[in-house]
């Protein structure tokens, strides 16, 4: 057998091996081992949690995504070519090993930096900094340069073997190196972005003087992931759009903003000290965890949703049931990596959100089958969003107002029962006990309307402001919600969520007595 035939056979074996979930776990395992190896040879300097579990893993994920996108565009089908990118990530072991062999010791990791934009641009286009004779400095070790040469050569071999097109085989490795140059120079790029933002508004963006590499990596990975998913499988892309549940996200994600507002004590002046890039990266991390929560729910709700004819991505055959599970777990891993770069209190609260979302939907607990307990769990999930925003500002939850915590839990526990009205047929068949399945649809509507009205009225009472204006406003909102649920043949959950969220926002902005 010719060498070219052996290469083709080897490539075929890689392209046909592994599934999405197993390759994802393989990538994470390789990155963690790489970090462990780097930490060992650098005397443990990498063992800081945010570097080990978040910042440097994100850099390698960016490299994987850039490669997967380029191969998907130039060497279709992407369902096969991305596996080459995934398998090839094991090459990141080369740099620390080669540095030990060449230098006799580890080499300090770091980012490229430049004195001006011209130097940065010339370095990116010409890639002269990776040449063997270029002086060594932080981040550009001999091992890393050799690693980049090997990766470029192997990309050339793979692309030429598959396409027989020499210009693609030369162009793609070059583009890969140029695009990888951007995250490698992220400190310099962040300084430019910070200057631009403070030029736009020196006051509003005064808290964005320093942009961390990890926050920028989160935004880059988010953009690259959207592009890659669209190239890889348009059905998954459409499933994410279809199944995202934007109105519910406005409620739960809005709680993060509420927590930030509480954290700054309701002071408009303190809005100026917020690092909005860090805040954006935290919200993106929460989006990934939200995808986990939603799609794990779709997975376990499939039978009931089929009976109730809920328009979920699985019921509509946009994706398979097992694909929903894969989407959920990938969302979980990415979300935790993203939020690992935040303050430790933020990460801890995020794990609470994940745990609550899981035991709410998944067997054996599947708490959504138990009335009151189900909505109590959703109340705690709502509280976790508020605490995440609060701890983003304060770094802890020690002085979080107890009244708001109780209001979030109790009012969601009472008011969220209306979401079960539309699922009554599926819940009956799947032995999920809700107020509508226990008392019947009509009686359930009456009970849910009473609970929803009480929930709105209790917000200002429990949270800590019992003056007449917020109370009367809450009564007004409650009356409208009560009669809407009673008189509507099919009460829309989205309208009820928007209604309750609107009152909560008005209350926090104008009526809550901030004395913390």
């Amino acid at each position: 057998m010719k060498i070219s035939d052996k290469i083709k056979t080897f490539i075929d074996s890689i392209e046909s091996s592994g599934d999405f979930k197993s390759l994802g776990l393989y990538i994470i395992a390789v990155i963690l081992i790489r970090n462990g190896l780097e930490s060992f040879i650098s005397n443990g300097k990498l063992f800081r949690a945010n570097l080990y579990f978040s910042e440097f893993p994100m850099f390698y994920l960016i490299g994987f995504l850039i490669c997967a996108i380029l191969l998907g565009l130039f060497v279709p089908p992407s369902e096969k070519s991305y596996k080459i990118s995934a398998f090839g990530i094991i090459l990141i072991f080369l740099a620390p090993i080669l540095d030990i062999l060449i230098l006799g010791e580890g080499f300090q990791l770091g980012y490229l930096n430049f004195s001006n934009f011209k130097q940065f641009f010339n370095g990116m286009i010409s890639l002269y900094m990776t040449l063997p004779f270029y002086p060594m400095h932080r981040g550009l070790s001999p091992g890393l340069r050799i690693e980049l040469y090997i990766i470029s050569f192997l990309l050339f071999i793979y692309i030429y073997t598959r396409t027989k097109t020499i210009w693609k085989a030369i162009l793609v490795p070059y583009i890969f190196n140029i695009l990888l140059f951007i995250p490698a120079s992220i400190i310099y790029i962040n300084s430019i972005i910070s200057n631009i933002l403070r030029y736009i508004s020196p006051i509003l963006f005064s808290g964005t003087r320093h942009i961390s590499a990890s926050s920028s990596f989160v935004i880059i990975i988010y953009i690259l992931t959207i592009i890659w998913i669209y190239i890889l499988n348009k059905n998954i892309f459409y499933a994410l759009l279809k199944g995202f549940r934007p109105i519910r996200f406005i409620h739960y994600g809005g709680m993060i903003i509420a927590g930030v507002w509480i954290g700054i004590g309701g002071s408009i002046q303190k809005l100026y000290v917020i690092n909005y890039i860090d805040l954006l990266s935290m919200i993106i991390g929460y989006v990934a965890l939200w995808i986990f929560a939603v799609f794990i729910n779709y997975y376990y709700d499939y039978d009931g949703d089929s009976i109730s004819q809920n328009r979920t991505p699985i019921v509509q055959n946009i994706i398979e049931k097992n694909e929903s599970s894969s989407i959920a777990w990938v969302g979980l891993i990415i979300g935790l990596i993203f939020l690992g770069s935040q303050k430790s209190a933020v990460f801890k609260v995020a794990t609470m959100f994940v745990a609550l979302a899981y035991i709410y939907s998944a067997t054996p607990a599947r708490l959504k089958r138990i009335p009151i307990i189900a909505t109590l769990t959703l109340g705690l999930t709502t509280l976790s969003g508020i605490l995440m925003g609060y701890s983003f500002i304060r770094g802890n939850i020690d002085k979080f107002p107890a009244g708001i915590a109780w209001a979030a839990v109790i009012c969601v526990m009472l008011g969220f029962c209306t979401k079960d009205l539309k699922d009554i047929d599926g819940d009956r068949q799947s032995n999920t006990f809700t107020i509508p399945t226990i008392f019947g649809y009509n009686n359930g509507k009456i009970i849910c309307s009473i609970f929803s009205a009480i929930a709105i009225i209790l917000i200002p009472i429990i949270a800590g402001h019992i003056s007449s204006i917020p109370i009367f406003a809450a009564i007004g909102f409650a009356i409208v919600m009560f009669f809407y649920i009673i008189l509507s043949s099919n009460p829309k959950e989205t309208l009820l969520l928007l209604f309750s969220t609107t009152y909560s926002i008005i209350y926090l902005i104008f009526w809550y007595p901030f004395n913390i």
Side-chain angles (χ1 to χ4, degrees):
M1 183 182 290
K2 297 180 180 178
I3 294 178
S4 60
D5 292 332
K6 290 182 179 180
I7 292 173
K8 187 176 183 302
T9 301
F10 179 69
I11 290 173
D12 288 339
S13 67
I14 295 175
E15 289 181 338
S16 59
S17 64
D19 56 20
F20 192 76
K21 187 186 294 185
S22 64
L23 288 172
L25 293 173
Y26 161 77
I27 290 171
I28 297 300
V30 169
I31 290 173
L32 291 178
I33 295 171
R34 166 67 165 81
N35 281 351
L37 181 61
E38 191 74 50
S39 297
F40 176 75
I41 65 176
S42 62
N43 297 320
K45 292 178 182 178
L46 236 183
F47 265 106
R48 286 180 289 169
N50 63 328
L51 291 177
Y52 191 87
F53 289 112
S54 187
E55 186 172 320
F56 283 105
M58 284 194 284
F59 179 85
Y60 300 128
L61 284 177
I62 290 172
F64 160 75
L65 287 169
I66 291 172
C67 187
I69 289 170
L70 290 174
L71 293 181
L73 291 173
F74 289 94
V75 194
S78 57
E79 291 86 351
K80 291 185 176 181
S81 61
Y82 92 87
K83 294 181 180 181
I84 296 294
S85 179
F87 178 78
I89 201 168
I90 200 168
L91 295 172
I92 64 176
F93 287 156
L94 288 175
I97 294 173
L98 290 171
D99 285 338
I100 285 289
L101 294 175
I102 297 170
L103 302 174
E105 60 182 357
F107 194 87
Q108 186 179 10
L109 289 175
Y111 299 102
L112 306 179
N113 210 344
F114 307 90
S115 57
N116 55 64
F117 183 78
K118 182 180 179 180
Q119 188 185 48
F120 161 74
F121 185 77
N122 289 338
M124 181 174 65
I125 299 301
S126 65
L127 298 174
Y128 66 84
M129 299 180 73
T130 63
L131 295 174
F133 55 78
Y134 189 80
M136 286 193 301
H137 64 84
R138 188 179 183 186
L140 275 174
S141 68
L144 181 58
R145 298 179 199 201
I146 296 172
E147 180 184 295
L148 289 172
Y149 301 151
I150 292 173
I151 291 172
S152 299
F153 176 72
L154 292 177
L155 281 174
F156 175 89
I157 295 295
Y158 170 70
I159 295 166
Y160 186 74
T161 301
R162 279 290 181 241
T163 66
K164 304 300 181 185
T165 308
I166 191 68
W167 71 266
K168 288 184 179 180
I170 295 173
L171 181 63
V172 171
Y174 175 66
I175 296 175
F176 171 77
N177 279 279
I178 285 179
L179 294 178
L180 194 62
F181 198 85
I182 294 173
S185 310
I186 198 66
I187 299 299
Y188 175 73
I189 293 172
N190 282 348
S191 66
I192 294 176
I193 294 173
S194 177
N195 290 335
I196 291 172
L197 291 175
R198 286 186 287 120
Y199 176 80
I200 294 171
S201 177
I203 297 176
L204 180 60
F205 295 111
S206 60
T208 318
R209 290 181 178 274
H210 172 73
I211 301 174
S212 66
S214 55
S215 293
S216 297
F217 285 168
V218 168
I219 298 169
I220 293 171
I221 291 175
Y222 178 71
I223 295 170
L224 292 177
T225 301
I226 292 174
I227 297 171
W228 178 55
I229 290 174
Y230 185 80
I231 294 171
L232 176 68
N233 190 325
K234 290 182 175 60
N235 284 341
I236 293 178
F237 180 81
Y238 294 137
L240 289 169
L241 292 179
K242 175 72 178 178
F244 189 73
R245 294 184 175 178
I247 301 302
R248 284 198 186 184
F249 181 77
I250 288 174
H251 166 78
Y252 287 103
M255 295 302 107
I256 293 178
I257 305 302
V260 170
W261 181 250
I262 297 167
I264 62 174
S267 171
I268 295 177
Q269 286 76 21
K270 291 183 180 179
L271 287 173
Y272 303 143
V273 301
I274 296 174
N275 188 317
Y276 286 98
I277 302 297
D278 287 350
L279 178 60
L280 177 60
S281 71
M282 182 183 70
I283 293 173
I284 290 174
Y286 187 81
V287 167
L289 297 187
W290 173 254
I291 289 172
F292 164 78
V294 169
F295 279 81
I296 205 71
N297 187 65
Y298 287 149
Y299 179 83
Y300 284 100
D301 273 6
Y302 174 69
D303 294 334
D305 286 338
S306 299
I307 295 167
S308 299
Q309 297 183 336
N310 288 333
R311 297 173 64 83
T312 68
I314 309 178
V315 173
Q316 291 185 296
N317 294 317
I318 299 175
I319 56 172
E320 300 293 330
K321 183 180 178 182
N322 287 336
E323 287 179 314
S324 177
S325 174
S326 296
I327 291 170
W329 291 108
V330 170
L332 172 63
I333 293 171
I334 291 176
L336 291 178
I337 290 173
F338 284 177
L339 292 171
S341 64
Q342 297 286 335
K343 296 171 182 175
S344 62
V346 172
F347 182 80
K348 292 170 185 174
V349 174
T351 60
M352 184 176 77
F353 170 83
V354 168
L356 289 166
Y358 184 78
I359 64 172
Y360 173 79
S361 299
T363 55
R366 197 161 161 75
L367 298 181
K368 69 178 300 177
R369 296 177 295 187
I370 309 170
I372 305 300
I373 297 297
T375 50
L376 172 62
T377 306
L378 295 179
L380 292 170
T381 306
T382 300
L383 176 61
S384 70
I386 303 175
L387 292 176
M388 192 179 298
Y390 183 85
S391 56
F392 172 80
I393 298 295
R394 298 294 185 96
N396 57 64
I397 58 173
D398 297 351
K399 296 182 179 180
F400 186 80
I404 290 181
W406 283 110
V409 174
I410 293 173
C411 295
V412 170
M413 180 183 70
L414 291 174
F416 265 41
C417 59
T418 53
K419 71 179 182 58
D420 298 320
L421 291 169
K422 69 180 189 308
D423 298 327
I424 185 169
D425 294 331
D427 287 342
R428 281 172 173 166
Q429 291 291 328
S430 60
N431 295 318
T432 299
F433 299 104
T434 63
I435 289 175
T437 61
I438 294 172
F439 297 98
Y441 184 78
N442 291 328
N443 290 333
K445 271 185 33 171
I446 295 172
I447 295 171
C448 288
S449 62
I450 294 171
F451 280 180
S452 296
I454 292 173
I456 289 287
I457 295 171
L458 286 178
I459 289 175
I461 295 175
I462 298 176
H465 199 301
I466 54 175
S467 65
S468 58
I469 295 177
I471 293 288
F472 284 132
I475 291 172
F477 272 79
I479 291 171
V480 173
M481 287 185 68
F482 175 84
F483 282 106
Y484 171 72
I485 297 170
I486 289 292
L487 299 177
S488 175
S489 59
N490 183 25
K492 300 295 183 183
E493 177 191 350
T494 54
L495 287 177
L496 295 170
L497 268 176
L498 286 173
F499 214 66
S500 58
T501 303
T502 299
Y503 176 80
S504 300
I505 292 171
I506 294 172
Y507 170 75
L508 270 180
I509 294 176
F510 297 106
W511 296 321
Y512 181 73
F514 287 101
N515 54 5
I516 54 177

